[in-house]
Amino acid sequence: MRPCKLRKYLETAHKDKKDKPLDYFKKLGDNFQTRTTVKRMLSERATTVDKDFLTSYEISNSIAKAGKPHNIGECIGVCVISTAVNQSGHEITQVIPFSNLSVLKRIDEMADDLEKQLVPQIQVRKFALQIDESCLQENEALLMTHVRFLDDNQFREEMLFA
């Protein structure tokens, strides 16, 4: 903005600040530049490994391995952590997400990561596939595919997809 228009804007829109010294406006500008923004918060959060975040992934991993309903995380996580840390359940759920959708999201992220690690390994090795059909509780068919391959002179078996 041109200085003359800026002065006119200041006198008409901000009458209470028109007589303030230049240092006041410089301080406002500095405060504006150093304010907390969402981008800054996310970048700071991404650079530090948060124990609460890792705890959420570990509990989600345990739920997936056990094959339990995802909403069980709210009960398990709050009980285990509240006894270990001596905090109330409300404080824990504010810090660590255990909701059904959070656990589902964590499990999906871990599955995608495993897939990204597994596919390049079996692309350069000989492997064997095993396909199994299983039934769920409601007589729904489930097709599971396991892959076996040799990794560092050890046989590894991983579930490829279900």
Side-chain angles (χ1 to χ4, degrees):
M1 203 181 273
R2 291 185 196 164
C4 63
K5 289 189 177 186
L6 184 61
R7 180 173 299 278
K8 184 177 179 184
Y9 172 76
L10 182 64
E11 290 172 354
T12 56
H14 302 284
K15 294 176 184 175
D16 59 326
K17 294 181 178 64
K18 70 178 182 178
D19 296 326
K20 298 278 186 183
L22 185 61
D23 293 336
Y24 172 79
F25 294 105
K26 286 183 180 179
K27 185 178 176 185
L28 278 179
D30 291 340
N31 289 344
F32 181 77
Q33 293 297 327
T34 58
R35 76 190 187 285
T36 304
T37 61
V38 173
K39 183 178 179 181
R40 193 171 289 151
M41 284 173 40
L42 291 176
S43 65
E44 290 171 2
R45 179 93 171 174
T47 56
T48 60
V49 177
D50 194 5
K51 291 181 182 178
D52 301 332
F53 193 66
L54 291 175
T55 303
S56 176
Y57 271 97
E58 289 172 3
I59 291 175
S60 298
N61 188 21
S62 300
I63 292 169
K65 284 181 179 179
K68 298 292 182 185
H70 298 157
N71 58 2
I72 200 171
E74 296 173 4
C75 301
I76 293 173
V78 171
C79 293
V80 170
I81 295 173
S82 63
T83 56
V85 184
N86 293 330
Q87 288 183 334
S88 70
H90 179 69
E91 292 172 353
I92 293 168
T93 55
Q94 293 296 322
V95 177
I96 305 172
F98 290 121
S99 68
N100 186 19
L101 290 175
S102 297
V103 172
L104 178 65
K105 180 181 170 189
R106 304 268 187 268
I107 291 171
D108 287 343
E109 288 174 358
M110 288 186 284
D112 289 341
D113 185 52
L114 282 174
E115 182 182 349
K116 288 177 185 175
Q117 293 177 24
L118 182 62
V119 170
Q121 289 181 2
I122 63 174
Q123 285 178 340
V124 295
R125 294 184 170 96
K126 292 184 178 180
F127 60 91
L129 283 177
Q130 178 182 354
I131 299 174
D132 292 329
E133 183 182 357
S134 180
C135 290
L136 297 175
Q137 291 177 352
E138 299 158 359
N139 289 333
E140 294 181 30
L142 179 66
L143 185 68
M144 297 173 55
T145 303
H146 295 271
V147 62
R148 290 188 187 115
F149 58 95
L150 198 59
D151 185 29
D152 295 330
N153 294 328
Q154 298 277 337
F155 279 106
R156 261 182 73 189
E157 181 177 344
E158 298 286 340
M159 185 171 68
L160 190 59
F161 64 87

